[in-house]
Amino acid sequence: MKKIFIYYSLSGNGDLVAEYLSKKDIDIRKVNTSETLSKNMVLRIITGGFKAMINYKDKLVGFDNDIASYNEIIIGSPIWNSRLSSPINSVLDKINLSNKKITFILYSGSGKAIKAHELINKKFKAKIIDLKEPLRNKEELKKLNNY
């Protein structure tokens, strides 16, 4: 079964997950946007949280939406305002997940993403794995051992 991890990372949590999954023979595709969020943490939280709340879709740079050769799609997203990040909203708008096994790996400060779970469950039949700041809590990566 061919798998790919498509993810966005602002603080490095997603990059750590990608590094872990790449060792398990999973292809990696990082998402980049044309705009960057402020380096000021408060502004970044406000802006990112607002974008997530309104289901904003960022403009992606160099994103390859061809996933036809993959059986399983693993989507990695930070949680902003209890929702998926706006770059991942863009990805979900651009790829066809029909007939694919889908897993979401969500990384957040609290390790909980109740609203994101609700939104995912409305649109997809998917497995969801929550990670609490894997950069600070490396033991969280053990939740990915089945890959």
Side-chain angles (χ1 to χ4, degrees):
M1 178 178 271
K2 196 168 175 191
K3 302 175 185 179
I4 187 168
F5 179 56
I6 301 171
Y7 78 103
Y8 177 75
S9 184
L10 183 62
S11 63
N13 286 300
D15 295 321
L16 183 66
V17 172
E19 181 182 327
Y20 181 86
L21 293 177
S22 71
K23 294 175 185 170
K24 296 183 172 276
D25 210 23
I26 296 173
D27 290 344
I28 305 298
R29 192 173 297 168
K30 186 172 183 176
V31 174
N32 294 301
T33 62
S34 61
E35 297 177 24
T36 57
L37 291 176
S38 172
K39 291 184 184 211
N40 178 295
M41 184 62 108
V42 173
L43 288 176
R44 186 170 35 186
I45 289 169
I46 291 169
T47 305
F50 179 74
K51 284 180 164 186
M53 184 180 70
I54 64 169
N55 198 34
Y56 184 81
K57 294 168 184 73
D58 283 297
K59 182 178 178 188
L60 304 180
V61 175
F63 181 70
D64 177 4
N65 66 348
D66 182 9
I67 58 169
S69 65
Y70 295 97
N71 306 92
E72 183 172 356
I73 312 303
I74 306 163
I75 305 289
S77 180
I79 295 303
W80 295 350
N81 197 15
S82 193
R83 293 166 175 83
L84 297 174
S85 65
S86 52
I88 292 302
N89 289 336
S90 300
V91 167
L92 295 173
D93 194 50
K94 294 186 180 306
I95 61 175
N96 181 358
L97 293 171
S98 301
N99 303 314
K100 304 287 184 183
K101 181 177 179 186
I102 308 165
T103 301
F104 283 84
I105 299 175
L106 309 176
Y107 21 94
S108 66
S110 69
K112 298 176 184 168
I114 295 166
K115 188 69 174 173
H117 280 241
E118 291 171 4
L119 297 170
I120 290 167
N121 289 329
K122 281 182 186 176
K123 292 184 175 185
F124 306 101
K125 183 178 180 186
K127 178 179 179 179
I128 304 171
I129 302 170
D130 291 302
L131 303 178
K132 182 177 180 179
E133 293 185 334
L135 278 174
R136 292 186 182 166
N137 304 289
K138 302 268 192 289
E139 70 278 0
E140 288 287 294
L141 293 174
K142 291 178 185 174
K143 294 177 181 177
L144 306 176
N145 281 345
N146 291 334
Y147 283 97

